[in-house]
Amino acid sequence: MTLRADAERNRRALVAAARAVFGEQGLQAPFDEIARRAGVGNATLYRRFPTRRALVAAVFAERMADFARAAEEALAEPDPWTGFRTYVLTVLRMQAADRGLADLLTLSVPAEPDLEALRARVQAGLAGLVDRAQRSGDLRADVTPEDLPLLLMANAGLVHRTAEAAPHAWERFAAFVLDGLRAPAASAPAPPGPSREALAQSMRAGAARLGCVE
């Protein structure tokens, strides 16, 4: 159903305000502040977006599509390590610029199929980047696609703690991490990481803590 012109204006204003507030404060930001910045009442916000997860999906679907495209573009890079490195830096940089996105990349919102379908595209692209860089001998053999969410969780914590005082601290973290992922840096196999199921459970639990699931 097509929204009336005023209702569509309110929806656009709410999405824009939520993008800004989530970017500054993370996904736990209060709805009152989003409604205030959008210039509407709380009732209007809840009428358009009755749950936090619905608002999160509306705000970040486009950004998740950007991540999927970035992975696909990295796969088109002729040099496997350059493609992998470029993608990791792109993701960490986008996290650093947007605290809401920093949260979202470490969460799973399974009740929003469009968002989760985009996440699946991202994961497929990442698996291809890991496989290619390992076959070329550039990436440590013990790295798995599930390791990137662990890096994103670490970077999200860094972003939240240094956003005001040291907004570029993530770049130092990225430099150390990428050097450590190179095959020549592997002095011994890394301990086993969490299973895919355990990682998914952790991401769902994080979403629940922020009110992004019901």
Side-chain angles (χ1 to χ4, degrees):
M1 182 176 65
T2 303
L3 294 175
R4 300 194 319 270
D6 58 339
E8 178 60 21
R9 282 195 300 273
N10 286 342
R11 184 185 186 282
R12 290 177 182 273
L14 284 165
V15 170
R19 183 177 294 117
V21 175
F22 285 155
E24 295 165 8
Q25 301 179 28
L27 298 185
Q28 81 286 355
F31 268 23
D32 288 353
E33 174 65 10
I34 293 169
R36 185 189 68 77
R37 290 208 200 179
V40 303
N42 284 5
T44 298
L45 188 158
Y46 283 105
R47 188 161 56 247
R48 295 271 71 85
F49 301 104
T51 64
R52 185 172 295 268
R53 76 178 187 216
L55 183 55
V56 165
V59 169
F60 290 109
E62 184 177 342
R63 301 304 303 278
M64 287 297 288
D66 290 341
F67 281 112
R69 283 190 294 270
E72 290 154 4
E73 289 170 4
L75 281 168
E77 163 59 47
D79 181 74
W81 175 254
T82 299
F84 178 82
R85 179 181 183 277
T86 298
Y87 180 69
V88 171
L89 285 174
T90 296
V91 175
L92 296 183
R93 183 179 298 109
M94 291 177 75
Q95 265 194 312
D98 187 327
R99 290 180 63 178
L101 193 62
D103 286 340
L104 182 69
L105 291 177
T106 65
L107 306 177
S108 177
V109 190
E112 292 298 333
D114 291 343
L115 206 58
E116 291 304 298
L118 287 168
R119 189 187 297 280
R121 269 181 65 195
V122 171
Q123 290 170 340
L126 175 62
L129 290 168
V130 168
D131 177 67
R132 203 170 64 126
Q134 286 175 331
R135 284 188 287 107
S136 70
D138 291 297
L139 182 64
R140 293 176 60 131
D142 53 359
V143 172
T144 72
E146 286 71 39
D147 287 320
L148 185 61
L150 297 180
L151 298 181
L152 295 178
M153 290 177 186
N155 194 53
L158 180 67
V159 167
H160 280 292
R161 288 166 176 77
T162 64
E164 301 297 331
H168 298 288
W170 73 270
E171 296 176 7
R172 186 173 177 85
F173 170 74
F176 290 147
V177 165
L178 285 166
D179 279 351
L181 292 175
R182 296 296 297 265
S187 58
S195 67
R196 182 172 300 181
E197 293 74 17
L199 188 60
Q201 182 179 1
S202 175
M203 294 172 75
R204 288 194 297 270
R209 284 194 297 273
L210 292 180
C212 295
V213 295
E214 295 178 335

